[in-house]
Amino acid sequence: MENLPFFSSVEREVQALRTEAGLIWKPETTSVTLYGDDVRRWCNGMFSNNIRKLRPGYGNRSAICSHKGHVQGLLDIYCISNTEFLLVLDGISFDFFLERFERYMILDDIEYKDDTTGLLFSIQGPQTAAALEKAGIALPEGEENLHITDNYTILKKDRLGGGFDIISEQSPILWEKIQQAGAVPIGTQAQEIERILQKKPAWPTDAQRISFIHDLLLNEECCAFDKGCYVGQEIINRMDVKGLANKRLTLFSFSTSVPVGTTLEYQSKKVGTISSTCQLSDRFYGLAVIRKAGWDQTLTYKDGLATPIDETEI
């Protein structure tokens, strides 16, 4: 994959993600398959979303939380069968997953398989389905999120505008076929620009050691507030019911380039720190988790002003 063509125009790649189909290589992403008669119940008790209701072919996004409700990682969970679930780890390693959960899996007789032999890449954008169809790649049926063939597993996944992840030992071959069908390879810089402008937090880039799901605006996507107990559930539900969240991921625009780690202030008090930055054309943007005192306010830093904006304004 090292010899994939690279587009010199980052703006062209961003445009492809927004109007065509973009190919994204994700070599750092790991998937794990869990097996066992109790695997559904086990997942439902460990992760923040409702795993109990997932039927074969369906999936959702979830968070790994501590007993204090702090986010420790993210993952996508897909039901293959009543005794088999596929987990795609988001920003966490297989080693971290084992360190966090292996002792609990042993207690509940849950077995696992590391799927790192199947490399993962993604295709995102409004023309994704057309490109995959032209390349002869079968999609999940109807509203399902998962389709497995002898050569690949395809997963419905919105990374940068909607599309699919593909896991396969033949990933380089499939990548080439989809590129020939019209998809545009997207470099890491354009991926980061679009992620930031869509206000999608990256784990652990945009998180802190004590971040909550609500801080990262992931509560609607990653939480089920109508399910039974899971690790961190009591604190997370209390925050939701009583409206106790006092931090919020915010997108800002700047007049000049701003380094990651820059302190943002409101009325001379620190309310947040820039965690991700990007430049598109002559405009500069950044993400930061902001304390409630600074919500919806123009903030200051040593070189100027940070103006909060909505992703729809770009």
Side-chain angles (χ1 to χ4, degrees):
M1 303 298 287
E2 293 80 1
N3 296 321
L4 286 174
F6 180 77
F7 286 81
S8 59
S9 172
V10 173
E11 288 81 3
R12 168 70 182 96
E13 295 176 22
V14 171
Q15 179 189 45
L17 281 170
R18 295 178 177 181
T19 63
E20 303 172 47
L23 280 167
I24 299 170
W25 186 233
K26 301 290 291 182
E28 76 285 358
T29 302
T30 300
S31 58
V32 183
T33 303
L34 301 184
Y35 307 85
D37 291 340
D38 264 351
V39 66
R40 181 187 297 275
R41 178 194 59 78
W42 186 87
C43 288
N44 201 63
M46 290 294 170
F47 309 128
S48 62
N49 217 329
N50 193 326
I51 314 304
R52 189 180 299 276
K53 73 176 183 180
L54 290 181
R55 306 192 305 273
Y58 288 80
N60 56 32
R61 197 176 190 205
S62 196
I64 299 168
C65 298
S66 71
H67 287 84
K68 294 184 178 181
H70 299 139
V71 179
Q72 296 185 320
L74 302 170
L75 70 167
D76 295 285
I77 305 175
Y78 300 88
C79 178
I80 299 174
S81 71
N82 289 328
T83 58
E84 185 176 0
F85 281 74
L86 172 65
L87 281 56
V88 178
L89 308 183
D90 186 351
I92 59 176
S93 68
F94 177 67
D95 289 342
F96 170 86
F97 182 83
L98 280 190
E99 181 181 352
R100 178 72 171 78
F101 293 113
E102 186 172 27
R103 61 186 180 274
Y104 302 115
M105 289 191 285
I106 291 172
L107 289 173
D108 283 303
D109 201 23
I110 305 297
E111 299 182 42
Y112 64 86
K113 180 179 72 173
D114 175 5
D115 296 327
T116 51
T117 54
L119 302 178
L120 186 147
F121 67 96
S122 191
I123 176 170
Q124 299 287 306
Q127 299 301 316
T128 289
L132 291 176
E133 182 178 359
K134 187 175 180 181
I137 306 295
L139 303 181
E141 295 184 3
E143 297 299 317
E144 292 186 359
N145 306 104
L146 165 72
H147 180 64
I148 300 175
T149 75
D150 292 337
N151 296 322
Y152 57 84
T153 296
I154 184 166
L155 312 163
K156 187 178 292 185
K157 172 65 179 176
D158 179 2
R159 290 188 181 272
L160 295 172
F164 298 87
D165 285 350
I166 297 176
I167 304 173
S168 175
E169 295 183 9
Q170 301 177 17
S171 287
I173 297 172
L174 295 175
W175 173 290
E176 184 67 25
K177 289 178 64 176
I178 298 169
Q179 184 179 346
Q180 290 175 357
V184 178
I186 307 298
T188 55
Q189 187 177 355
Q191 293 175 41
E192 186 70 351
I193 289 170
E194 197 63 2
R195 178 189 72 79
I196 292 169
L197 297 185
Q198 291 188 27
K199 206 157 66 175
K200 292 180 179 290
W203 176 266
T205 304
D206 297 305
Q208 303 168 351
R209 183 176 57 86
I210 55 172
S211 289
F212 291 102
I213 293 176
H214 290 74
D215 299 350
L216 302 174
L217 305 183
L218 294 174
N219 44 300
E220 291 188 7
E221 182 180 17
C222 292
C223 276
F225 296 101
D226 58 349
K227 62 176 276 187
C229 293
Y230 61 90
V231 179
Q233 178 259 352
E234 182 177 352
I235 293 172
I236 294 169
N237 275 25
R238 187 186 307 129
M239 289 181 66
D240 195 73
V241 170
K242 296 188 176 183
L244 299 178
N246 60 13
K247 296 180 182 178
R248 186 171 71 191
L249 185 72
T250 306
L251 175 64
F252 292 94
S253 66
F254 309 91
S255 58
T256 61
S257 177
V258 179
V260 168
T262 296
T263 296
L264 299 179
E265 296 184 344
Y266 179 64
Q267 297 181 344
S268 300
K269 293 183 179 180
K270 179 181 177 180
V271 291
T273 303
I274 294 294
S275 55
S276 294
T277 63
C278 70
Q279 178 182 355
L280 182 61
S281 299
D282 59 349
R283 298 186 66 185
F284 302 90
Y285 304 93
L287 290 175
V289 174
I290 300 299
R291 294 184 181 277
K292 195 170 187 177
W295 287 2
D296 303 318
Q297 304 294 331
T298 296
L299 307 181
T300 59
Y301 63 102
K302 67 175 183 177
D303 294 323
L305 301 177
T307 305
I309 59 173
D310 191 89
E311 58 269 31
T312 59
E313 299 176 38
I314 301 169

